C-alpha cells in the first residue's frame, strides 16, 4: 500500500507545528539534557501529550492521512514476510548480527538466536536471559559479544541493578561461545570504563579486537571518571577467549580541562551534546579506516594499528546535529553517513515543526588521500513522511544494500519505520521504499518502532523495540542486483568489502 504523501504531509503541516511548538522550543534552547542518548536501563513508560495533540492524531488516522494504530503500511516494492513477536525476553529489542543461516537479536534482557534458513518462517534456536541494558550484539566465528551499559551488581547473567557510585558495580563486555547455537556458553567478562554502550569488531585471524564506545563520566563514579575522551580497546584471543582484556584506552579528543578536547556542548553550543566519549564506531577493516559518531563530534580515523587508532579528521555540526549516533560508509569509502539521534530516541522529531535537517542523516564526502583525508558535508536526509506526535522517531541504525556503482542503504527510524534510500548523488538523497506501522498509542508518546534495519543475503531484517523481529522482502530493479551478494557473516558496524 502506498500512502498519498502529498495530502498526508499537507495535513500534518497544518496541525503539527502548533502541537510540537513546546518540544521545538525545548530542543532549540535547552542545555545538554536535550541531547539525551539512548535510554539505557530506564523503562519505556509513556509520556502524556496535550488534548489537542491527541485529537489531531486521532483525526489524522480517521482521515486516512497517517496509518491507524498498529496498522502496517509500505511502498509497493516492499513485502512484509513475517513478524516474530517477543517471547521469553520481554525487554527492549536492540541490535542485530548475522552468521550463515542465523540471525542474532539483542534485547535488554539478553539475546535470541533465529534460524533464518527460510526467511518467511524464522525459528527460534535459543533465548539467553542475561539482563544488562543495550546488549549491543556481534558475532565472530564461535564467539558472540554483548555490551552491558547499566551498572550491575556483578558480571553474571543473574546480576541485579546497582548504583554506579559503588566501586563493586560492573559494566562492560560479555563473551559467549556459540559453537553450539542451541546452547551458548558464557565464557568471559571484561569491565570497561563507563561500561559499553556499543562495541565494534576489528577481526584478525588469531584475535578479535573490540572498540568499546561509552560516555557520560561522573566524578562520583569510581569506574567512570572524567575525562573520558577515548575508547576502550579489548583484545580477545580466539582460541582462549577467557583471556580477553583491555589493552589500551586511546584518547581521541586530547585537550585541556576535565572533559578533554571534544565538543564542549552547552552553553557554548546550545542543544549539542558535550563530547565525553563515543556512541558508536564503524570500521572498514579492508581499508584500515573507521568513522566515529561521538556525541558532539564526527571523526574519521585510521586503524592500521588496531590497538592504536589515529584520528585523521574531525567535524562538528552545531546548528543541526544534537547527538552524533552512528556511521555508515559507502562501498568506495569516499562517503560516510552520520546519524543524529535528536531527543535520544524518545521524542517525536519527525514532524513539520522540527523540520528536515534535525534528527536526520548527514552525508559527508571523504576527499583527499591517506592521513590528509577530510570530511566534507554535502546534505541531510530525513524520511519524507511526517509522524504523529505520539511516535518517537529519529535517524537510527541501518546498513548498505550492496549494489555496485550505487550508494543505497536501509535504515531504521523507530516508529518512523524502515526507509530504503539512495545517496549516490551526495547532495540529492531520495527515498525509494519504506515500511512502517501506525502509532503504538494515540493518547501518549510511547517508545517503540524499528531499532535496527539491515540487509543480509537478499532480505531486510528489522528488530522492532516493541513488536519483535520483522523480515521484509525488497523487490526493485535498483536494488535487485544486491540479491546476488552472499555473506557468511555480517556485523554491520564491521563493514565488509562486498565486491572483493
Amino acid at each position: 500500500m502506498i500512502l498519498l504523501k502529498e495530502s498526508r504531509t499537507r495535513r500534518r503541516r497544518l496541525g503539527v507545528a502548533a502541537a510540537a511548538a513546546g518540544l521545538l522550543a525545548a530542543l532549540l534552547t535547552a542545555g545538554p539534557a536535550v541531547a539525551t542518548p539512548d535510554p539505557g536501563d530506564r523503562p519505556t513508560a509513556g509520556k502524556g501529550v496535550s488534548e489537542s495533540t491527541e485529537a489531531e492524531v486521532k483525526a489524522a488516522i480517521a482521515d486516512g492521512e497517517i496509518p491507524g494504530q498498529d496498522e502496517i503500511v509500505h511502498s509497493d516494492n516492499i513485502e512484509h514476510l513475517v513478524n516474530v513477536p517477543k517471547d521469553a525476553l520481554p525487554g527492549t529489542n536492540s541490535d542485530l548480527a548475522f552468521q550463515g543461516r542465523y540471525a542474532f537479536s539483542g534485547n535488554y534482557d539478553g539475546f535470541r538466536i533465529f534460524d533464518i534458513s527460510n526467511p518467511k518462517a524464522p525459528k527460534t534456536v535459543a533465548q539467553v536471559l542475561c539482563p544488562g541494558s543495550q546488549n549491543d550484539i556481534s558475532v565472530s566465528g564461535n564467539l558472540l559479544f554483548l555490551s552491558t551499559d547499566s551498572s550491575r551488581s556483578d558480571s553474571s547473567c543473574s546480576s541485579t541493578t546497582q548504583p554506579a557510585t559503588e566501586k563493586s558495580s560492573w559494566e562492560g563486555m560479555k563473551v559467549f561461545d556459540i559453537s553450539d547455537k542451541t546452547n551458548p556458553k558464557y565464557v568471559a567478562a571484561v569491565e570497561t570504563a563507563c561500561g559499553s554502550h556499543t562495541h565494534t569488531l576489528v577481526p584478525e585471524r588469531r584475535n578479535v579486537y573490540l572498540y568499546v564506545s561509552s560516555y557520560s563520566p561522573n566524578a562520583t563514579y569510581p569506574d567512570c571518571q572524567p575525562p573520558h575522551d577515548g575508547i576502550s580497546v579489548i583484545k580477545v584471543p580466539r582460541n582462549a577467549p577467557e583471556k580477553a582484556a583491555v589493552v589500551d584506552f586511546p584518547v581521541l579528543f586530547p585537550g585541556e580541562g576535565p572533559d578533554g578536547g571534544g565538543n564542549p556542548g552547552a552553553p557554548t553550543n546550545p542543544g549539542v551534546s558535550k563530547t565525553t566519549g563515543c556512541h558508536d564506531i564503524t570500521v572498514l577493516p579492508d581499508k584500515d579506516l573507521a568513522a566515529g559518531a561521538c556525541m558532539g563530534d564526527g571523526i574519521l580515523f585510521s586503524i592500521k594499528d588496531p590497538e592504536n587508532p589515529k584520528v585523521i579528521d574531525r567535524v562538528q555540526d552545531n546548528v543541526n546535529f544534537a547527538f552524533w549516533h552512528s556511521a555508515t560508509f559507502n562501498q568506495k569509502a569516499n562517503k560516510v553517513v552520520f546519524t543524529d539521534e535528536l531527543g535520544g530516541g524518545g521524542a517525536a522529531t519527525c514532524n513539520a515543526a522540527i523540520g528536515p535537517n534535525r534528527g536526520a542523516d548527514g552525508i559527508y564526502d571523504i576527499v583527499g588521500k591517506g592521513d590528509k583525508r577530510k570530511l566534507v558535508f554535502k546534505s541531510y536526509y530525513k524520511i519524507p513522511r511526517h509522524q504523529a506526535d505520539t511516535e518517537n522517531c529519529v535517524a537510527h541504525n541501518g546498513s548498505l544494500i550492496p549494489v555496485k556503482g550505487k550508494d543505497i542503504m536501509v535504515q531504521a527510524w523507530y516508529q518512523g519505520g524502515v526507509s530504503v534510500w539512495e545517496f549516490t548523488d551526495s547532495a540529492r538523497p531520495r527515498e525509494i521504499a519504506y515500511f512502517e506501522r501506525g502509532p503504538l498509542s494515540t493518547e501518549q508518546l510511547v517508545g517503540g518502532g524499528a531499532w535496527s534495519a539491515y540487509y543480509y543475503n537478499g532480505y531486510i531484517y528489522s528488530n522492532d523495540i516493541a513488536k519483535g523481529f520483522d523480515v521484509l522482502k525488497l523487490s526493485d530493479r535498483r536494488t535487485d542486483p544486491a540479491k546476488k551478494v552472499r555473506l557468511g557473516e555480517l556485523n554491520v558496524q564491521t563493514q565488509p568489502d562486498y565486491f572483493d
Side-chain angles (χ1 to χ4, degrees):
M1 173 180 178
I2 294 182
L3 292 178
L4 297 176
K5 297 180 185 178
E6 182 179 356
S7 61
R8 177 180 175 183
T9 299
R10 184 165 57 246
R11 172 63 174 80
R12 301 299 294 143
R13 286 184 187 279
L14 289 173
V16 171
L23 172 62
L24 178 62
L27 290 172
L28 292 176
T29 62
V34 169
T36 305
D38 290 341
D41 221 18
R42 297 197 301 274
T44 55
K47 304 173 186 176
V49 297
S50 68
E51 290 183 5
S52 61
T53 295
E54 181 181 338
E56 183 195 346
V57 173
K58 291 179 178 179
I61 291 173
D63 292 343
E65 291 156 353
I66 65 172
Q69 190 169 350
D70 281 341
E71 179 188 0
I72 290 175
V73 295
H74 53 81
S75 53
D76 287 343
N77 52 359
I78 279 192
E79 178 184 358
H80 184 213
L81 296 182
V82 68
N83 169 262
V84 183
K86 291 189 289 188
D87 188 12
L89 304 175
T92 296
N93 271 344
S94 57
D95 216 355
L96 294 168
F98 305 90
Q99 185 181 83
R101 59 189 175 96
Y102 298 101
F104 303 81
S105 167
N107 179 286
Y108 277 37
D109 287 331
F111 65 94
R112 188 175 183 179
I113 303 177
F114 293 100
D115 183 335
I116 54 172
S117 298
N118 179 1
K120 294 182 179 180
K123 296 178 180 179
T124 299
V125 174
Q127 297 190 75
V128 176
L129 179 65
C130 197
S133 174
Q134 283 294 117
N135 277 337
D136 188 46
I137 193 167
S138 59
V139 294
S140 184
N142 289 329
L143 300 177
L144 179 147
F145 306 94
L146 279 185
S147 287
T148 299
D149 191 38
S150 61
S151 187
R152 312 297 296 178
S153 56
D154 56 55
S155 62
S156 73
C157 283
S158 58
S159 67
T160 57
T161 58
Q162 182 169 291
T165 53
E166 295 187 23
K167 176 62 180 173
S168 62
S169 296
W170 184 91
E171 297 181 62
M173 290 300 310
K174 295 169 181 171
V175 185
F176 290 79
D177 184 322
I178 54 168
S179 50
D180 180 356
K181 301 294 189 294
T182 65
N183 185 30
K185 296 180 179 179
Y186 188 10
V187 296
V190 181
E191 187 171 15
T192 54
C194 300
S196 174
H197 194 73
T198 66
H199 67 273
T200 302
L201 301 187
V202 184
E204 288 188 333
R205 186 168 56 182
R206 295 183 179 180
N207 304 297
V208 178
Y209 287 96
L210 306 178
Y211 286 173
V212 177
S213 296
S214 55
Y215 47 87
S216 296
N218 190 299
T220 66
Y221 300 164
D223 299 318
C224 184
Q225 291 283 301
H228 185 72
D229 47 12
I231 57 174
S232 297
V233 180
I234 296 176
K235 183 178 182 179
V236 186
R238 290 188 185 276
N239 294 330
E242 68 279 1
K243 295 181 180 180
V246 175
V247 293
D248 201 1
F249 186 87
V251 173
L252 302 178
F253 302 97
E256 301 296 330
D259 299 312
N263 195 318
T268 303
N269 298 315
V272 178
S273 287
K274 177 170 65 176
T275 298
T276 58
C278 289
H279 178 276
D280 207 353
I281 291 168
T282 294
V283 298
L284 284 172
D286 289 344
K287 294 181 172 61
D288 294 327
L289 196 64
C294 302
M295 304 182 74
D297 294 272
I299 59 174
L300 187 70
F301 55 103
S302 168
I303 57 170
K304 288 181 180 179
D305 179 353
E307 293 188 20
N308 297 285
K310 177 184 177 182
V311 175
I312 297 172
D313 193 27
R314 167 185 164 195
V315 289
Q316 297 178 354
D317 181 346
N318 295 320
V319 175
N320 289 314
F321 260 48
F323 188 87
W324 296 68
H325 176 274
S326 53
T328 302
F329 287 100
N330 69 338
Q331 175 61 28
K332 292 182 178 179
N334 59 6
K335 300 177 188 176
V336 62
V337 175
F338 288 104
T339 67
D340 172 28
E341 196 184 41
L342 174 68
T349 70
C350 296
N351 53 41
I354 300 302
N357 296 338
R358 308 203 72 204
D361 296 317
I363 304 166
Y364 286 75
D365 283 355
I366 302 172
V367 300
K369 296 182 179 180
D371 290 351
K372 293 184 178 181
R373 282 173 285 190
K374 297 291 182 183
L375 293 165
V376 178
F377 173 77
K378 301 301 291 185
S379 67
Y380 298 105
Y381 170 76
K382 194 171 184 178
I383 56 172
R385 299 170 310 286
H386 290 147
Q387 305 297 305
D389 285 345
T390 57
E391 295 180 278
N392 61 311
C393 176
V394 76
H396 215 239
N397 293 354
S399 76
L400 281 188
I401 297 179
V403 178
K404 187 172 288 188
K406 299 287 186 181
D407 297 326
I408 302 174
M409 69 179 290
V410 58
Q411 185 176 5
W413 289 79
Y414 290 115
Q415 285 191 71
V418 175
S419 176
V420 179
W421 60 286
E422 182 174 356
F423 59 105
T424 305
D425 182 342
S426 303
R428 294 176 178 82
R430 58 186 181 128
E431 183 173 75
I432 61 178
Y434 71 91
F435 166 91
E436 68 167 292
R437 291 181 169 90
L440 285 170
S441 172
T442 60
E443 300 175 351
Q444 57 182 350
L445 176 59
V446 179
W451 176 292
S452 51
Y454 300 144
Y455 186 91
Y456 177 69
N457 290 354
Y459 296 88
I460 293 170
Y461 298 90
S462 176
N463 227 11
D464 188 288
I465 289 171
K467 296 296 182 182
F469 183 69
D470 287 307
V471 185
L472 309 175
K473 183 179 180 181
L474 176 64
S475 299
D476 190 288
R477 59 179 177 76
R478 293 162 291 190
T479 59
D480 284 347
K483 296 177 181 178
K484 299 177 182 179
V485 178
R486 286 291 184 268
L487 299 176
E489 192 170 274
L490 178 64
N491 301 290
V492 168
Q493 287 73 36
T494 307
Q495 283 191 221
D497 185 344
Y498 289 99
F499 304 111
D500 185 19

